[in-house]
Amino acid sequence: QVQLVESGGGLVQPGGSLRLSCAASGNDPKDLTITHWRWSRQAPGKQRELVAVIESVGLTNYADSVKGRFTISRNYRKNAVDLQMNSLTSDGTAVYYCNVDVRTAATPWITEAAWGQGTPVNVSS
């Protein structure tokens, strides 16, 4: 199974920047293929929302609320996906989750999701 380990969360002042990373393991290309890498977040008292996604072909999409300030990118050397967050506001306070879509070579018609445990981000002065 694919395992995801997230890091980089913490306390940051409004207007500051933070870089999150989500490292995957267990996704041997001969067995498992990750088709999408995503960052989502859940603020206190709110529903989880998709923040950014990057596809295996490199296409990216962002939530309107973060477009222009956040950047999702692959870190191929570390088998990870990063989320660079700039110009953070209090609305950025949330638990950020990494998730991926996975296909197994034996059953390529089935796509399953794997999730990390989440890393908290607190934007406060």
Side-chain angles (χ1 to χ4, degrees), residues 22-96:
C22 171
S25 62
N27 60 319
D28 190 328
K30 68 180 181 181
D31 298 320
L32 302 171
T33 299
I34 295 176
T35 63
H36 298 76
W37 301 69
R38 300 184 181 88
W39 281 101
S40 300
R41 67 185 180 187
Q42 187 165 23
K46 297 184 178 180
Q47 293 182 305
R48 185 177 300 180
E49 64 172 343
L50 178 66
V51 174
V53 56
I54 184 167
E55 301 177 1
S56 59
V57 296
L59 295 176
T60 59
N61 284 289
Y62 299 90
D64 289 340
S65 60
V66 307
K67 193 172 184 178
R69 298 186 296 117
F70 289 14
T71 302
I72 187 171
S73 62
R74 288 293 317 283
N75 188 331
Y76 294 100
R77 184 170 60 181
K78 296 183 178 180
N79 193 28
V81 63
D82 294 345
L83 183 68
Q84 178 65 46
M85 304 186 294
N86 298 328
S87 301
L88 284 163
T89 67
S90 59
D91 290 340
T93 297
V95 177
Y96 286 72

Side-chain angles (χ1 to χ4, degrees), residues 3-6 22 48 96-100 114-119:
Q3 296 180 355
L4 304 175
V5 179
E6 303 164 19
C22 171
R48 185 177 300 180
Y96 286 72
Y97 298 90
C98 172
N99 106 278
V100 297
W115 290 82
Q117 294 296 310
T119 183

